[in-house]
Amino acid sequence: MTVWMLSAALCVPTATMVSAAEAEPAAPAAPVAAPVAVSYNLTDAIKAEIKSVLNENAGSETRIGVVVRLHNTSDRMRRVPDYELRMQTADGTHYTLRPSAANTTSIQSQEKVELSYLITIERSDNVVLSSLNWIEIDEFEYPQKEKTVLSIPLEGLQWKGEGSVIPESALIKPWTEAFTLPVFSSSIEYTPVSLFYQNQPEGPVAFVTLLAENKGKKKEAIPLLQLDGQAESGWFKGQKQEASAGTLEPGAKQYVYFAIPVDNEVELNRLVVLTPESFVHADKTSIDYTIGRMVIDLQDVSGKKHDIQKVQAYQPGAAITFDPLNKLIRQGIDISLVELHMHGAEGDGYQTVVAKFKLRNKLEGPVALPEFQAELRTKDGYSYLGTRQATVDQNLISNLGYVVSYSFNVPSKEQGDDLVMNILDSKTAAPYYVPIASFQTKTQEQTDDDVMRFYPFNVKLADWRVAPLYNAGTYSYKMNMTLDISREDNIVVNQNFSKMKVELEDQLGRTLGSETLSFTGTKRLVSAQQSFTFNDLYTDQIETPLVVKIYESIDTPLGEAKRLVKTLNQR
């Protein structure tokens, strides 16, 4: 049969993310395909097929519409036959459809055209469409004679709009399977890649990525699609795909992106693939509607408070594997996560996770530093968008590594284990984020050896001493530290790099004074004895014994974040 029927049932979930399959199938399944539209002979030179059928009830009215394709198979231009198009219902009622003002009147040789027809009737009952009929009317005969030129049955071909029941059929597919839409092209295959829940200023959005691949032998246009979401709480209308969908050469692949605004704490159970249609009135006003084509079932992968995404464990320092089709990270740019530490102090009410990424340019010339975004997801399913350090280098020089830090503010109870790091492209589909890499990770444990690590710097404390000073009735403390500092080769840091902060405490844990020391600039730390003084003490008497705490300190939008690196107790 030509077009098929698709109706949609409601289902819902909570905000998070969905990617290719969480479990690999034993063998790749054949793509699920909607039925192919069947062609009928309308004349000896023109074939007709049905593209879309709308039967949508809206209270006291029912909207009936159809889009037909006509194919001129002859070797010369033909006029569109001057037939009347009528819709017949199961109860025997006939309705004459009105043609769109945008319909063409002629068809070039070998050309295919689409003609739109629509009517709104005053019926609130359940209208069942049975056939679409082309009627030839002989106006020169009296009484007027009518002849049915072509009749196409419509059983199972109608779309009833949002919220209708989806039958159990081949039009429903699991997330793990590829599918095609033969009514547009049997060559373009779609594969679900990711469903990524993200917060936007207007509210949460489910951002879906499909991979379109041309499996045929000729160039194919990517049809305009829309993706709606279903959840237990209702139907969520997606935003239309960009008009410039483009074309695909044989064997070419391209991502297609969709955004579905959802309510807070909603997790989708199904995605409905739709295509837009339009009808133009004589006064040039138009009616836009959509026709359901395919349902993607998320039941097996939803119900978990996380995004549907395939992630693997990550070894710190290894090059991150990016989506080969991503448009942000060029081949020849290696990015690795070299440090992931929990910063913060008791009583702050939150903690800060700081991630340090190393970027290395393996190309022959300089390239612009890619502006990727990073997101941290906890095992409870909560996501935290990172904030990149204030100043970064604009270009990556060949054969040099650069360190860029991102900070994530997380609840104070967060333990930092079983985390997922998402690397996001914030430009390709702005204002939405496109996931281009994801991996499992956890915060690093603080080591208790002699070396303090501030990647790319390793600091060994050979000796230290704190002594009180008295001058004109005030006390201060002078500290000497003998340091041995080594640095990873060919690694560049700038003035926004983290610093070493030394705090002096009494036995009750009260801070007497602090000093911040930099690894960059003219007064940077070097391998030698360092001397500095703790002034402006809160106390006016000598405290002993003292405790010295050494932190890694980094500036974030909410202020300073500290990570305890070493504790020294005075004897």
Side-chain angles (χ1 to χ4, degrees):
M1 310 280 294
T2 82
V3 188
W4 29 267
M5 165 190 173
L6 187 69
S7 317
L10 321 171
C11 307
V12 47
T14 338
T16 35
M17 171 171 115
V18 192
S19 136
E22 296 214 335
E24 291 281 349
V32 176
V36 180
V38 178
S39 293
Y40 296 81
N41 292 323
L42 182 60
T43 70
D44 59 349
I46 296 176
K47 291 183 177 296
E49 64 183 47
I50 297 180
K51 177 191 175 190
S52 307
V53 178
L54 177 69
N55 179 11
E56 184 177 30
N57 179 264
S60 61
E61 295 182 338
T62 296
R63 181 182 293 172
I64 298 173
V66 64
V67 177
V68 297
R69 285 184 178 141
L70 300 184
H71 181 200
N72 179 5
T73 60
S74 72
D75 58 359
R76 61 185 177 87
M77 185 176 72
R78 300 279 183 168
R79 286 189 57 81
V80 173
D82 191 19
Y83 299 147
E84 194 173 86
L85 203 59
R86 294 179 187 174
M87 190 69 74
Q88 182 175 342
T89 65
D91 60 10
T93 307
H94 293 260
Y95 293 102
T96 300
L97 300 174
R98 296 189 180 95
S100 170
N103 286 356
T104 186
T105 58
S106 60
I107 318 172
Q108 296 290 345
S109 173
Q110 302 303 317
E111 182 184 24
K112 278 188 178 182
V113 298
E114 293 184 1
L115 306 179
S116 179
Y117 299 83
L118 191 74
I119 190 173
T120 301
I121 58 176
E122 296 292 329
R123 286 187 63 168
S124 59
D125 59 323
N126 182 26
V127 178
V128 178
L129 306 179
S130 61
S131 65
L132 181 66
N133 304 318
W134 277 263
I135 308 297
E136 182 181 25
I137 300 175
D138 189 347
E139 298 179 350
F140 298 100
E141 291 283 341
Y142 185 84
Q144 181 175 282
K145 288 186 177 181
E146 296 183 356
K147 175 185 175 183
T148 301
V149 177
L150 175 63
S151 180
I152 300 179
L154 298 179
E155 183 180 359
L157 305 182
Q158 52 198 302
W159 168 252
K160 293 191 174 182
E162 297 178 12
S164 52
V165 178
I166 302 174
E168 295 298 328
S169 69
L171 299 179
I172 301 178
K173 62 168 291 293
W175 173 263
T176 55
E177 291 184 15
F179 63 92
T180 61
L181 300 173
V183 72
F184 299 101
S185 169
S186 298
S187 300
I188 295 184
E189 179 180 303
Y190 298 90
T191 304
V193 175
S194 67
L195 168 54
F196 188 86
Y197 290 84
Q198 50 192 264
N199 291 317
Q200 293 290 325
E202 300 77 16
V205 170
F207 187 77
V208 183
T209 302
L210 300 181
L211 176 63
E213 181 178 2
N214 185 356
K215 297 278 191 172
K217 296 182 179 180
K218 63 178 182 178
K219 182 188 293 187
E220 294 277 358
I222 301 176
L224 295 181
L225 303 178
Q226 178 177 316
L227 227 59
D228 287 359
Q230 291 179 293
E232 292 171 359
S233 60
W235 183 291
F236 297 91
K237 187 175 289 294
Q239 298 172 356
K240 289 182 180 178
Q241 174 193 349
E242 291 295 327
S244 55
T247 58
L248 286 179
E249 297 289 344
K253 301 178 181 179
Q254 179 180 312
Y255 285 129
V256 187
Y257 304 110
F258 305 90
I260 308 173
V262 296
D263 293 339
N264 290 325
E265 299 302 315
V266 162
E267 187 175 355
L268 299 176
N269 288 341
R270 283 177 171 178
L271 301 174
V272 182
V273 182
L274 308 105
T275 56
E277 301 289 3
S278 181
F279 177 86
V280 180
H281 290 289
D283 61 1
K284 303 304 179 183
T285 60
S286 64
I287 295 176
D288 297 325
Y289 61 94
T290 53
I291 298 292
R293 302 294 180 183
M294 177 71 64
V295 174
I296 302 174
D297 191 359
L298 306 177
Q299 302 271 21
D300 292 338
V301 288
S302 61
K304 308 168 187 175
K305 200 170 184 189
H306 64 74
D307 306 317
I308 301 179
Q309 183 172 356
K310 183 180 172 185
V311 293
Q312 296 180 343
Y314 175 76
Q315 183 64 36
I320 297 171
T321 301
F322 288 93
D323 185 331
L325 295 182
N326 91 85
K327 299 179 179 179
L328 185 67
I329 311 299
R330 293 180 54 180
Q331 293 289 333
I333 306 297
D334 279 354
I335 300 178
S336 55
L337 178 63
V338 291
E339 276 191 2
L340 187 67
H341 284 294
M342 190 79 76
H343 292 234
E346 185 178 352
D348 284 346
Y350 67 93
Q351 299 179 93
T352 302
V353 177
V354 175
K356 289 182 184 177
F357 291 93
K358 180 179 72 173
L359 293 79
R360 183 177 292 277
N361 177 11
K362 298 167 64 177
L363 303 173
E364 294 182 355
V367 296
L369 186 144
E371 296 183 20
F372 63 88
Q373 180 56 277
E375 183 194 61
L376 200 62
R377 193 179 74 222
T378 66
K379 63 181 178 182
D380 297 324
Y382 296 102
S383 298
Y384 303 91
L385 206 59
T387 301
R388 191 167 70 166
Q389 66 185 62
T391 304
V392 296
D393 298 89
Q394 297 301 309
N395 293 301
L396 301 179
I397 307 302
S398 298
N399 296 318
L400 290 180
Y402 293 76
V403 176
V404 179
S405 299
Y406 288 76
S407 59
F408 309 83
N409 294 320
V410 299
S412 55
K413 65 179 182 180
E414 178 58 44
Q415 299 298 310
D417 55 351
D418 197 13
L419 302 173
V420 171
M421 180 70 75
N422 295 313
I423 309 299
L424 310 175
D425 175 357
S426 59
K427 287 189 172 183
T428 298
Y432 307 108
Y433 299 114
V434 179
I436 56 177
S438 296
F439 53 87
Q440 291 180 339
T441 187
K442 62 180 180 179
T443 55
Q444 295 165 297
E445 299 289 339
Q446 179 59 45
T447 59
D448 194 26
D449 54 20
D450 294 336
V451 178
M452 297 179 286
R453 292 173 174 81
F454 307 78
Y455 187 90
F457 299 95
N458 294 321
V459 181
K460 186 173 183 179
L461 180 63
D463 185 39
W464 66 278
R465 185 172 303 174
V466 176
L469 299 175
Y470 179 79
N471 182 25
T474 61
Y475 290 95
S476 61
Y477 291 92
K478 182 178 181 180
M479 182 169 187
N480 294 325
M481 294 192 305
T482 303
L483 303 177
D484 182 9
I485 301 176
S486 60
R487 176 175 178 166
E488 297 282 341
D489 291 338
N490 300 324
I491 302 296
V492 178
V493 298
N494 60 27
Q495 68 270 22
N496 284 106
F497 183 71
S498 58
K499 298 175 175 59
M500 176 192 289
K501 186 170 187 177
V502 184
E503 292 187 355
L504 193 63
E505 294 183 357
D506 62 16
Q507 289 296 307
L508 298 177
R510 296 174 295 187
T511 302
L512 304 180
S514 65
E515 183 72 15
T516 300
L517 309 171
S518 178
F519 290 97
T520 62
T522 55
K523 296 183 179 181
R524 65 181 181 272
L525 289 168
V526 295
S527 294
Q529 179 174 297
Q530 316 286 321
S531 296
F532 50 88
T533 303
F534 297 102
N535 296 306
D536 301 323
L537 305 179
Y538 88 94
T539 181
D540 58 359
Q541 61 184 16
I542 297 295
E543 299 283 343
T544 187
L546 297 170
V547 176
V548 177
K549 290 186 176 180
I550 301 176
Y551 296 90
E552 180 179 21
S553 170
I554 187 169
D555 292 330
T556 75
L558 293 184
E560 179 190 49
K562 300 185 301 182
R563 172 176 68 93
L564 182 61
V565 176
K566 202 170 192 63
T567 300
L568 307 172
N569 292 290
Q570 191 180 43
R571 298 182 184 278

